[in-house]
Amino acid sequence: MSRSWRMAAAVVAVLALAAGCSRESDGQAVRADSAAAGIPTVVVLDASDSMNTADAPGPRWAAAKAAAQELVSSLPPDTDFGLVVFGAQVSAKSAGRQAACADVQVVRPLGSADAAEVTEALDGLTPQGFTPIGTALQEGAALLPDTESALVLVSDGESTCAPDPCETAASIRAAKPKTTISAVGFRTDADSLQCVARDGGGVFVTADNAEQLTARLAAVQNAEVADSRLAPTGRGDAKIGDTLDQVAADNEGFPTSGRTEGDRLIIVWKDCTYTFDADRTLIEIAPGDPAGATGVTIDGVTAGTPGSRVVELYGEPTTSGDGVATFPADEGAGTGYRIGYRGGDEIGDGTVTTVVLCRCAGDDSEDKPEPVLGRDQYIPYAVGFGAARPAVISFGSTASSTIARITWDSWGGQTATGTGVSQLNGVGNPLSTMSLKASDLGWCDGAWTYRKVQTATSEARLDSSRKIDVCRA
C-alpha cells in the first residue's frame, strides 16, 4: 500500500457535523469529506524510555515519528505547526528526578508546516527519559495564539512528574478557550491522558499499532471532526455501555422512547440509529439510513474504503461471513466495528459498504480462562503480575512498593477486590493494611487480564486512588 494512500486514508470521509450523524441537502443525507483542520497546531510527543518498546510493531518511537510526519504532510498549505518533545535529553536510568522532570524541549517552533523540517528535528532524538506531561503541555500551549488552535498529546503512559496534567489542561483551556487539547494513548488508556482531553475540551482515543497511530493523530487534530466519528468506545457523548438515562442526560434532546424489537429498544435520532438492550444499555451506534451507511471509524474507514485498509488497521476479523466482518475496537470495553462489504469473498478483497460500532468484540461467547493480574514482566523489579490471585505483588524493588499476604475477596468478575499488608512506614514500624481493586478486565498479550489495579490504605479511599496500568509496561 502506497504512502500517499495511507496519508489520505487517515483524514478522509467523515461526517462534518455540529450535531447528529449526518447533514442534509435537499432532504438527502450526504457525506462530507474533511481533512485535518488548517488551524495552528502543536504536537506534544512522548520520547520517554518506554517509547523504545518494540510492539508497534517495531519501536513505538519510530511509529510516533512517522505519525507526526504524516500529520504535517496532510495539513493544508501554510498551516502553522510546532513540535514539543519530552524525555529525549536526560536518561531516566541515570539522571535525578529534578533534571528528568525538566526534560522538555521545543524542537520545532510554530511556523509554516514543513515535513522535511519535522523529520530533521525528530531524527536526532533518542527516547530515554521521564514523562513530564504537564510541563510539556505548558510549553506547547505557550507557542499557540489565543485564536482557534489545536494542542495534541501523544504518549504511551502516565505522567511521572508535576504539575498534574489534568489541572494543567484545565488551566490552559481556561486561559485559551479557543484551543482544544486532545490526546492519543499509544497502547494505553492511562487516566492522566484521558483527563487531558476531557479537561482540555478535546478528544481522547487509543491506538494499538503504527497504522492506527498515524490515522488517529490526524483525526484528533480536528476535534470537531473526531467527535463525529465512531471512536472505539462511542461517538461524541454517547458511549457503548451507557444507560439510556446517561445518553439522554449527555445529549440534549435525545429521546427516551422508540420502537421495540424483541427485548431491544431502537431509537433514531438525527439520522443515527441507537440500539439498547433489555437493561436499556447502549449496545450499538449506526449512523445513516440504512443503518451504518454513513458510519465512519476514528481512522476514516467508511463506505468506499478498500477492505484491505480495514485489515491493515484492525488485523483479521473475529467473525466474517455473508458480506459482514467484525473487528475488535476496544477489547476491554467489549466493543467492535461491524463492517459490511461487497466485491469479494473476504473483506480484504472487497469494499466497505456500512460501518457500525457495537458491543460485538467477537469473544463474548468464548470460554475465557481465569483472569490474571496484569502482564508477566510488567516492569523491572515488579513481582506477582501475570498470575491469578497473586498473594504478593510489588511495583518496584522497595519494601513500601510491596503488598504481601493478599487475600482476594472476589475474583473473576468485572472487578476483583482484596486486602493485604505493606511496609509503608519504614522497617521496624507496624505493617499497614492495604485495600486492592483490580479492574479493566480484557485481553493483554494474549492473556485474559485485569489490566489496571488500585491500592489504598482503606477501601473508602480506593475510588479516589490512581489506577495503575499493569498491562502496558
Side-chain angles (χ1 to χ4, degrees):
M1 186 165 291
S2 70
R3 178 181 182 278
S4 60
W5 159 247
R6 289 199 304 271
M7 180 171 65
V11 295
V12 298
V14 302
L15 304 174
L17 308 169
C21 286
S22 71
R23 63 180 186 177
E24 295 185 357
S25 175
D26 298 327
Q28 300 295 317
V30 296
R31 186 175 70 246
D33 291 345
S34 176
I39 58 176
T41 299
V42 170
V43 170
V44 175
L45 210 56
D46 186 342
S48 62
D49 184 59
S50 59
M51 290 292 284
N52 289 307
T53 306
D55 60 359
R60 296 178 185 178
W61 176 242
K65 289 198 301 181
Q69 292 159 0
E70 294 279 11
L71 172 61
V72 175
S73 298
S74 71
L75 292 171
D78 300 322
T79 301
D80 284 338
F81 179 85
L83 186 63
V84 174
V85 175
F86 59 85
Q89 301 176 97
V90 178
S91 172
K93 297 181 174 66
S94 59
R97 172 168 289 274
Q98 183 175 0
C101 285
D103 184 4
V104 176
Q105 60 185 135
V106 177
V107 299
R108 212 279 183 178
L110 196 68
S112 295
D114 187 308
E117 289 184 6
V118 170
T119 299
E120 183 179 359
L122 291 173
D123 280 347
L125 303 179
T126 301
Q128 56 184 313
F130 277 21
T131 313
I133 292 176
T135 301
L137 290 174
Q138 291 173 338
E139 291 286 345
L143 299 177
L144 291 168
D146 292 332
T147 58
E148 185 181 4
S149 58
L151 182 61
V152 185
L153 168 68
V154 177
S155 178
D156 70 344
E158 296 275 4
S159 176
T160 55
C161 301
D164 180 87
C166 311
E167 295 175 1
T168 301
S171 64
I172 292 171
R173 180 72 170 173
K176 295 186 174 184
K178 294 183 179 180
T179 296
T180 57
I181 309 173
S182 296
V184 182
F186 195 18
R187 299 188 63 80
T188 183
D189 60 354
D191 291 342
S192 63
L193 303 183
Q194 295 189 49
C195 72
V196 163
R198 182 185 66 243
D199 297 341
V203 176
F204 173 77
V205 294
T206 59
D208 288 332
N209 57 50
E211 292 293 338
Q212 289 183 9
L213 182 62
T214 295
R216 294 176 188 183
L217 176 58
V220 301
Q221 186 267 348
N222 189 336
E224 183 177 353
V225 165
D227 216 34
S228 71
R229 295 183 177 189
L230 295 170
T233 58
R235 179 186 177 279
D237 291 326
K239 308 298 182 186
I240 298 295
D242 282 355
T243 65
L244 173 58
D245 289 342
Q246 287 175 306
V247 175
D250 293 338
N251 296 270
E252 185 178 358
F254 193 90
T256 55
S257 62
R259 73 177 189 275
T260 57
E261 294 182 2
D263 63 353
R264 300 289 193 257
L265 174 65
I266 313 298
I267 296 176
V268 179
W269 184 60
K270 295 185 177 180
D271 197 32
C272 191
T273 301
Y274 298 82
T275 301
F276 297 82
D277 66 11
D279 296 323
R280 297 304 182 251
T281 297
L282 183 60
I283 59 171
E284 184 173 294
I285 304 173
D289 183 18
T294 57
V296 188
T297 75
I298 191 66
D299 308 291
V301 171
T302 190
T305 299
S308 56
R309 174 60 177 166
V310 182
V311 175
E312 186 177 51
L313 283 163
Y314 309 127
E316 294 299 324
T318 54
T319 62
S320 183
D322 298 325
V324 178
T326 303
F327 296 83
D330 186 297
E331 292 179 341
T335 58
Y337 291 122
R338 189 169 65 240
I339 299 178
Y341 64 94
R342 65 185 175 206
D345 293 333
E346 303 291 339
I347 188 169
D349 301 321
T351 301
V352 173
T353 56
T354 58
V355 178
V356 173
L357 177 69
C358 52
R359 181 170 277 176
C360 54
D363 59 11
D364 286 345
S365 62
E366 298 177 6
D367 292 329
K368 299 184 180 70
E370 183 178 20
V372 297
L373 180 62
R375 68 186 297 185
D376 189 21
Q377 299 179 340
Y378 157 52
I379 56 173
Y381 310 115
V383 172
F385 297 102
R389 303 175 186 265
V392 178
I393 60 174
S394 179
F395 299 94
S397 58
T398 63
S400 62
S401 69
T402 300
I403 302 174
R405 304 209 302 261
I406 299 172
T407 299
W408 292 97
D409 301 317
S410 65
W411 190 271
Q414 286 300 307
T415 60
T417 58
T419 56
V421 293
S422 180
Q423 187 68 70
L424 295 181
N425 302 309
V427 177
N429 290 305
L431 295 173
S432 298
T433 300
M434 300 295 294
S435 294
L436 300 92
K437 183 178 181 179
S439 60
D440 198 27
L441 188 61
W443 294 103
C444 176
D445 292 346
W448 188 238
T449 304
Y450 288 111
R451 300 184 295 184
K452 291 187 178 179
V453 64
Q454 294 165 269
T455 63
T457 53
S458 70
E459 185 177 354
R461 294 183 177 181
L462 277 174
D463 288 341
S464 60
S465 66
R466 181 170 69 92
K467 290 183 180 180
I468 301 171
D469 189 334
V470 288
C471 174
R472 305 302 182 192

